[in-house]
DNA sequence: CCCCTTGCCGAAACCGGTTTCGGAAGTTTG
DNA sequence: CAAACTTCCGAAACCGGTTTCGGCAAGGGG
């Protein structure tokens, strides 16, 4: 009987000394398990003196309740779930470590842990989520990268599983969230560029399926109008999430009859693509063409000139999301669990007054292609 | 009684429909729980026909065993533990996402999950590890970034908790591991540079507390000797893990009376620091100074010229580590769970034949500082 | 002085599984 | 054809906690 053997072996393996259980603590004190349990969990029908005796004995004996043993009765495994979508390429996510660090920090403080899974496709994420819910591997979930129409949200909502989103969604009913005010950042970016003297300011949005993308475009538009500039749909480029796409999108914008002298990017990585465009077209970032982006990826600091960007504190995001989710699991209404935080401007060298007017820039580009 | 309320609330919250338990399946078939359990777990004392009936009924009813309910008897929570050290700054770890993806992929295939925690200091990691072990949040652990003398290893070894290391350690007793042959990579790097015509080849090691660092130095040394070059201790620079440190270390090497025309780096990030040095000193990477590094960070591709490096497949590492750990937990001896994989050379532009001899390079640098 | 609270804790059920033990059939052996 | 094995499954204990229920003793009110 193989199964029996290995299982017995494992139980022997994992602790050298046998675990100290709640029964051990109880018999040590000459009370019952129930008393120990209630004392440790702060029930009101336990005398203060007893509570003290119990908690001291528990400390002395080194008693640690087994989370999964508690779970079977309480229905809580004290674990937060996180299902990440790791796409093939774009997977190098520098934020991830910080984000996870934030989540686990808050979680650890309250003696919770986090359970992580990954999937490659959107459907994969849904399936994984289902599995984790079915097996109750986590008491609730953090949903990163919220989409405008998000299958995960619907699923969890109907199954009544607590969750909190990193980002907002189209139908906020029953949703808790934490988000960065990307719209404010883009508004500030646009007005900042305008006040530097730019009059043709473009925007390269992020993935259109994401909620944030819409918001940032809106912010950009507001910024323009606040500065007295007219919104020109032609100046909203093709969506770009990668260097390559950013390069292409930038190139297309510069081919406009009246090209922009400044571009706001919804995403740092796309902005770094513009550096390549500039190099190719013999333009200088921060001179002929100014750039402000969003995210705060470390590469931005090493670009030349440094990329001016609105950085998000992903560690803090992780911390807050964990805190919100734990509250949600404990029963707080989702409507009371919504937080927005600002992105912080990191000024580097990529945004400066325009060296050329749009017309001059167009001329300059035309000369080049004639060469 | 507040506690009672919220708990009841949670149980109601998490499943809309009540869970289907093993008892439901049993009564549906008119057998006992024990039969269902043994049938589902492949015990040999269940008739094949019964096994079939049971597993079909389980499917039909949508029965999923509760991992933590099983755990209480079996002692297995079906979860792999991972405690990451997230240092303050260097925390931007691009591998992490891929690594985690690898781990979770293998784990998911076998219906395991992974439990992650983070800490900032070495001691914090130890404490967190202790907590997870005490609460038995995981059945075993993956230990990344193995140190030469590693407290985690000792702790887990004495407590008899299964673990597997990413990297090797000084005392391999009872250890299972997966590692990349960094020594081979560095040997290849040195011989490659030698065959390009370099005669003064330096090495900038990684953190001295890490096992890999020693191994890579050794590989570098072997490579030199294989190429008939003498090992010169002066050409082993100061350890560097960051751009900044890499810059400093490179600078120091170039100040030698007979400076190297090529440098091997134990770590990509440090090599990128050399790009800054080169810019400052008016040298061109791949011309006056050649560079080969190790890791395969994405930034290397965007450097100019691209950084030639030995890339590690961190996704695969994650997959293998998870597989090894699961075997380890199931009882395979650690000695049988040791794997090494090669790093793969990514040729870009940073390594080319030397444009100057060491003497000429020294002269060139002297001229500059006179300016 | 008795009855009724109230405070505090023990006994036992319970959560959802796994595992031990034993026994009723069916099968083989002598 | 009885005795001895097998095969297969039910009954019940068990894992380590939590929670319900009830009861005893002390205290308060009439």
């Amino acid at each position: 009987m193989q199964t029996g053997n290995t299982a017995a072996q494992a139980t022997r393996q994992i602790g050298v000394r046998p675990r100290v259980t709640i029964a051990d603590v109880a018999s040590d004190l000459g009370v019952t398990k129930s008393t120990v349990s209630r004392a440790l969990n702060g029930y009101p029908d336990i005398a203060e003196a007893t509570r003290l005796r119990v908690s001291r004995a528990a400390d002395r004996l080194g008693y640690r309740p087994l989370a999964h043993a508690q779970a079977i009765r309480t229905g809580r495994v004290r674990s937060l779930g996180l299902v990440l979508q790791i796409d093939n390429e774009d997977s190098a996510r520098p934020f991830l470590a910080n984000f996870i660090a934030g989540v686990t920090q808050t979680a650890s403080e309250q003696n919770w842990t986090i359970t992580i899974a990954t999937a490659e496709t959107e459907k994969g994420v849904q399936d994984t989520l289902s599995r984790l819910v079915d097996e109750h591997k986590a008491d609730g979930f953090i949903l990163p990268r919220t989409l405008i129409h998000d299958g995960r949200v619907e699923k969890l909502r109907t199954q009544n599983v607590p969750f909190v989103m990193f980002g907002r969604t189209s139908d906020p009913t029953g949703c808790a969230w934490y988000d960065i005010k990307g719209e404010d950042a883009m508004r500030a970016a646009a007005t900042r560029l305008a006040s530097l003297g730019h009059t043709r300011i473009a925007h390269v949005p992020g993935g259109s399926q994401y909620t944030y993308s819409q918001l940032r475009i809106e912010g950009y538009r507001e910024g323009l109008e606040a500065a007295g500039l007219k919104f020109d749909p032609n100046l909203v480029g093709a969506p770009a999430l990668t260097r390559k796409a950013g390069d292409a999108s930038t190139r297309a914008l510069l081919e406009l009859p009246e090209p922009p002298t400044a571009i706001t990017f919804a995403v740092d990585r796309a902005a770094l693509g513009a550096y390549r465009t500039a190099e190719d077209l013999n333009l200088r970032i921060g001179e002929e063409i100014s750039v402000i982006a969003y995210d705060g990826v470390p590469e931005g600091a090493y670009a030349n000139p440094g990329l001016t960007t609105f950085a998000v504190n992903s560690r803090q995001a992780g911390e807050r999301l964990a805190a919100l989710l734990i509250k949600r699991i404990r029963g707080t209404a989702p409507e009371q669990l919504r937080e927005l935080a600002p992105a912080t401007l990191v000024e580097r060298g990529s945004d400066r007054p325009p060296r050329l007017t749009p017309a001059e820039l167009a001329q300059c580009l035309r000369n080049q292609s004639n060469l």
Side-chain angles (χ1 to χ4, degrees), chain A:
Chain A
M1 223 182 22
Q2 205 180 354
T3 320
N5 276 337
T6 50
Q9 193 170 329
T11 19
R12 241 183 289 118
Q13 249 176 28
I14 195 101
V16 175
R17 46 163 193 268
R19 276 198 137 282
V20 15
T21 72
I22 196 170
D24 297 332
V25 180
S27 76
D28 181 88
L29 289 170
V31 300
T32 59
K33 295 194 301 176
S34 62
T35 303
V36 176
S37 173
R38 280 175 301 191
L40 258 27
N41 291 315
Y43 276 61
D45 61 347
I46 294 290
E48 189 52 34
T50 309
R51 183 193 319 289
L52 232 67
R53 280 203 311 146
V54 169
S55 68
R56 267 204 282 265
D59 278 0
R60 179 165 44 80
L61 299 177
Y63 169 66
R64 319 272 326 232
L66 226 44
H68 56 266
Q70 311 187 124
I72 175 182
R73 189 73 223 259
T74 61
R76 296 258 187 76
V77 291
R78 301 182 76 84
S79 174
L80 308 181
L82 183 58
V83 180
L84 301 170
Q85 183 171 350
I86 311 276
D87 330 76
N88 324 353
E89 289 317 317
D90 144 78
S91 58
R93 296 217 219 165
F95 321 117
L96 191 58
N98 284 323
F99 182 70
I100 292 179
V103 175
T104 57
Q105 176 174 320
T106 308
S108 301
E109 283 166 6
Q110 317 206 21
N111 241 302
W112 290 56
T113 53
I114 91 173
T115 297
I116 290 201
T118 60
E120 300 189 356
T121 63
E122 209 177 309
K123 180 171 181 320
V125 169
Q126 300 243 12
D127 292 346
T128 307
L129 204 52
S130 290
R131 185 169 76 82
L132 294 183
V133 169
D134 284 348
E135 300 186 355
H136 200 140
K137 286 282 195 168
D139 300 316
F141 293 85
I142 294 175
L143 307 182
R145 290 197 180 185
T146 319
L147 306 175
I148 296 180
H149 296 289
D150 204 306
R152 301 169 297 175
V153 171
E154 291 160 23
K155 168 170 309 204
L156 295 178
R157 198 153 43 188
T158 64
Q159 298 214 24
N160 241 323
V161 176
F163 66 93
V164 49
M165 313 183 299
F166 189 5
R168 289 156 273 178
T169 189
S170 61
D171 173 11
T173 321
C175 291
W177 68 63
Y178 178 90
D179 202 3
I180 309 292
K181 286 180 279 191
E183 60 276 29
D184 286 10
M186 283 299 118
R187 186 187 313 115
T191 59
R192 179 178 165 93
L193 289 167
S195 70
L196 285 172
H198 294 273
T199 55
R200 291 282 286 173
I201 302 172
H203 177 72
V204 173
S208 57
Q209 72 272 38
Y210 297 114
T211 313
Y212 71 76
S213 193
Q214 217 39 51
L215 291 168
R216 292 182 203 171
I217 293 181
E218 206 43 50
Y220 151 75
R221 181 183 191 140
E222 289 172 18
L224 288 187
E225 288 166 358
L229 296 174
K230 221 184 73 207
F231 171 78
D232 177 355
N234 291 323
L235 286 180
V236 175
L241 290 171
T242 62
R243 252 178 236 249
K244 192 169 169 183
D247 181 8
S249 190
T250 304
R251 219 171 278 266
L253 286 170
L254 291 177
E255 282 167 4
L256 288 175
E258 193 182 1
T261 59
I263 310 181
T264 59
F265 285 85
V267 162
D268 272 355
R269 234 176 266 281
L272 291 173
Y275 280 68
R276 206 184 292 168
T277 316
E279 195 172 346
D280 268 19
L281 301 180
N282 236 345
L283 301 173
R284 288 163 303 174
I285 298 286
E287 303 289 343
E288 288 82 17
I289 182 89
S290 278
V291 165
I292 298 185
Y294 181 96
D295 267 348
V297 301
E299 295 101 301
Y302 298 116
N304 193 356
L307 176 63
T308 294
T309 190
F310 284 87
V312 333
N313 186 335
S314 42
R315 169 157 196 138
Q316 189 182 47
E319 291 175 16
R320 294 310 306 151
L321 280 162
L324 291 171
L325 180 52
I326 290 179
K327 281 189 190 168
R328 180 76 194 89
I329 292 171
R330 292 197 166 134
T332 305
E335 291 74 17
Q336 293 170 32
L337 299 173
R338 291 171 179 172
E339 282 184 18
L340 293 178
T344 59
L345 177 63
V346 179
E347 303 186 35
R348 293 196 274 245
S350 65
D351 59 322
R352 303 246 284 278
R355 184 164 287 263
L356 305 175
T357 66
E360 290 166 348
L361 177 58
Q363 183 61 44
C364 163
L365 289 167
R366 258 196 306 280
N367 288 344
Q368 271 204 17
S369 55
N370 287 348
L371 284 182

